[in-house]
Amino acid sequence: MPEALYYKEENNCLYLKGEGHITAILCADLRELVFKRFEEENPIEAFYVDLSSCDYMDSTFMGLLVGFNKRMQKLMKKRITIVRPSPTAKDLLDGLGLTSLVAISDEMVPFPANMENINQTMNASVDLLLHSHENLMELSEENKKKFSALHSVLKSQKDQEK
């Protein structure tokens, strides 16, 4: 199975489909694309994330989903919707507490044709990794413990970059 993220905006709705292993490598371009779109004047009506073909997600991607959800709630008072997560994806989301934040739909949502494959053009920055994991750490004490060592290393690297 290919490892890919597909993205498209249509009728003020964002659509994201993950296939295979979704890792930090694919996240940098996605973060820029989505956050830039959130800042535009016309609001997003819905944000659908199809994880039916996703067989793994790393913590960076899941932290990014939390960040997207936080921004949607702040700006539009709406949550992102995870569509038909595979059993593995659902377990990973449950394990870090995301299923209580986002909407989960087992119903088929029609996704647009000709979605754009988000190719890696930027490397995952320390900033992206740090913010993604801080988003996860905000969700629970268990996540704080789980990611505290990584957070310390990333914070140290960010401080050194300055």
Side-chain angles (χ1 to χ4, degrees):
M1 177 177 289
E3 297 176 357
L5 282 173
Y6 299 94
Y7 175 86
K8 187 156 189 177
E9 179 180 350
E10 194 169 271
N11 301 323
N12 291 330
C13 292
L14 301 183
Y15 298 90
L16 180 66
K17 180 175 177 58
E19 290 185 353
H21 281 54
I22 307 303
T23 62
I25 292 170
L26 298 172
C27 292
D29 290 348
L30 175 65
R31 179 183 184 213
E32 295 296 317
L33 186 66
V34 172
F35 282 151
K36 181 179 174 190
R37 175 55 184 92
F38 281 159
E39 299 307 319
E40 293 177 10
E41 284 189 30
N42 51 333
I44 303 297
E45 297 297 321
F47 189 167
Y48 299 105
V49 181
D50 181 345
L51 297 177
S52 61
S53 299
C54 178
D55 56 23
Y56 175 78
M57 298 177 287
D58 72 1
S59 55
T60 300
F61 178 67
M62 289 188 283
L64 196 54
L65 292 177
V66 173
F68 292 159
N69 194 66
K70 282 170 49 175
R71 189 70 58 97
M72 283 273 299
Q73 286 187 313
K74 180 180 177 184
L75 298 175
M76 293 134 223
K77 309 292 188 253
K78 297 177 182 183
R79 299 186 298 169
I80 65 173
T81 300
I82 306 294
V83 178
R84 300 179 318 136
S86 68
T88 301
K90 183 133 177 15
D91 287 346
L92 290 167
L93 294 168
D94 281 338
L96 293 180
L98 274 76
T99 52
S100 62
L101 295 178
V102 301
I104 305 284
S105 174
D106 291 323
E107 301 297 317
M108 182 63 166
V109 172
F111 271 56
N114 303 321
M115 293 180 70
E116 174 189 351
N117 187 349
I118 299 173
N119 296 315
Q120 175 197 2
T121 60
M122 296 186 293
N123 289 325
S125 66
V126 170
D127 193 53
L128 167 66
L129 298 171
L130 182 63
H131 286 296
S132 291
H133 288 88
E134 286 174 345
N135 286 336
L136 293 173
M137 292 172 73
E138 290 173 5
L139 298 180
S140 70
E141 285 300 316
E142 186 178 331
N143 286 357
K144 280 182 188 172
K145 292 175 191 170
K146 215 180 271 188
F147 298 114
S148 66
L150 176 60
H151 183 264
S152 294
V153 169
L154 292 170
K155 190 91 166 121
S156 175
Q157 285 181 346
K158 185 174 180 175
D159 291 344
Q160 288 176 359
E161 286 179 356
K162 291 179 183 177

